[in-house]
Amino acid sequence: MITIKTPEQIAKMKESGRLTRNVLDLMGKSVRAGMTTKELDGIAYEYIKSCGAKPSFLGYGGYPASTCISVNDMVVHGIPSEDVIICEGDIVSVDVGVIYNGWQGDAARTFMIGKVSEEKKKLVKVTEECFFKAIERLKDGTPLGDIGYSVQTHAEANGFSVVRALVGHGIGREMHEDPAVPNYGKKGTGIRLKAGMVIAIEPMINAGDYKVDFMGDGWGVRTHDGKPSAHYENTVAITQTGVEILTL
């Protein structure tokens, strides 16, 4: 069921969104070659707790960490580990969820570590651009399919592919609410967005083919062809005239 948030509720979600953004800013300043993904996750956990908030992901469906940290060909849901060491030339996607005063924030960024390949630079840049293409014309009454159409069109025009096995989602008191928000699709299709809807738009873009493999740990998702993937996400509220990004 899709829930419409009141202006007061969206204001509360903006608080959780601000904390989510701050965590990602801290991750971007902290991540470096030579550290483990477990160490990076610990920094996020301590910051979230210091703010009087809770990590959305910790314990969600049994997930064992506060963030998802996915390196290179790991698309999403990489479990932070002492065995995964971040290296020069890697791209590192960090997905963060924060619960504050009962409301959720969810966002992701992909960070480049030192000197990365031109392909990875372009991939990270285009993935972020896909998000902003998706929200260019969003407002009350826009068909949901326009989001996926915009993401897919921009990604494929740049020689990349869009993951189909994973999608964005509604968000509010729960991390995952209706509707599902695909990153591919046809313009003019799907439900009409309404002012007061809050959704997480999260392009997941692969350098190679869109096919992915689900890992044996029950969480991690890798590209099938081993090529790199990037992730960029924000929580946005639909308004009468556009969108308000709650995690920027």
Side-chain angles (χ1 to χ4, degrees):
M1 183 178 71
I2 296 172
T3 60
I4 302 298
K5 280 72 175 178
T6 66
E8 293 76 20
Q9 290 172 331
I10 290 174
K12 290 179 180 179
M13 290 193 71
K14 196 168 184 178
E15 293 177 1
S16 57
R18 174 181 54 81
L19 290 178
T20 305
R21 177 203 66 202
N22 290 348
V23 176
L24 285 168
D25 287 348
L26 178 60
M27 297 294 93
K29 293 173 183 174
S30 302
V31 65
R32 57 176 173 76
M35 76 186 312
T36 67
T37 55
K38 178 83 170 179
E39 183 181 353
L40 187 60
D41 179 73
I43 293 170
Y45 174 80
E46 293 299 333
Y47 179 81
I48 293 169
K49 297 300 285 185
S50 74
C51 295
K54 296 179 182 178
S56 301
F57 302 167
L58 186 60
Y60 182 84
Y63 188 75
S66 299
T67 63
C68 298
I69 304 179
S70 306
V71 181
N72 295 327
D73 65 328
M74 185 75 78
V75 180
V76 288
H77 304 161
I79 300 174
S81 170
E82 293 178 352
D83 296 326
V84 179
I85 300 172
I86 296 167
C87 299
E88 177 85 8
D90 285 345
I91 56 172
V92 180
S93 297
V94 180
D95 193 353
V96 172
V98 171
I99 305 170
Y100 186 68
N101 289 335
W103 294 93
Q104 302 267 352
D106 189 10
R109 304 285 184 268
T110 299
F111 303 111
M112 296 181 285
I113 310 304
K115 200 170 187 178
V116 305
S117 68
E118 291 303 314
E119 178 188 50
K120 287 180 177 178
K121 282 182 186 176
K122 182 180 177 183
L123 177 64
V124 172
K125 178 175 179 287
V126 168
T127 301
E128 181 175 342
E129 289 172 351
C130 282
F131 168 82
F132 288 100
K133 289 287 184 182
I135 67 169
E136 274 183 359
R137 295 177 182 83
L138 288 194
K139 62 180 180 179
D140 181 77
T142 300
L144 181 66
D146 286 17
I147 295 174
Y149 173 82
S150 296
V151 171
Q152 183 178 10
T153 300
H154 189 65
E156 292 178 355
N158 282 277
F160 300 134
S161 66
V162 174
V163 173
R164 288 159 169 71
L166 302 150
V167 298
H169 51 90
I171 185 171
R173 289 194 178 276
E174 302 297 327
M175 181 165 55
H176 293 118
E177 298 182 354
D178 291 331
V181 184
N183 292 305
Y184 61 95
K186 294 182 179 180
K187 192 173 184 179
T189 63
I191 64 166
R192 298 278 171 169
L193 299 171
K194 293 183 179 180
M197 288 176 62
V198 181
I199 56 178
I201 300 174
E202 49 178 320
M204 291 161 273
I205 308 300
N206 293 348
D209 191 79
Y210 70 84
K211 295 177 183 176
V212 297
D213 296 327
F214 290 80
M215 302 292 95
D217 61 16
W219 291 101
V221 182
R222 290 188 184 277
T223 59
H224 181 70
D225 57 15
K227 291 188 176 181
S229 184
H231 187 195
Y232 187 90
E233 175 185 18
N234 281 304
T235 299
V236 304
I238 308 300
T239 70
Q240 290 289 343
T241 57
V243 299
E244 182 178 10
I245 305 174
L246 308 183
T247 46
L248 270 185

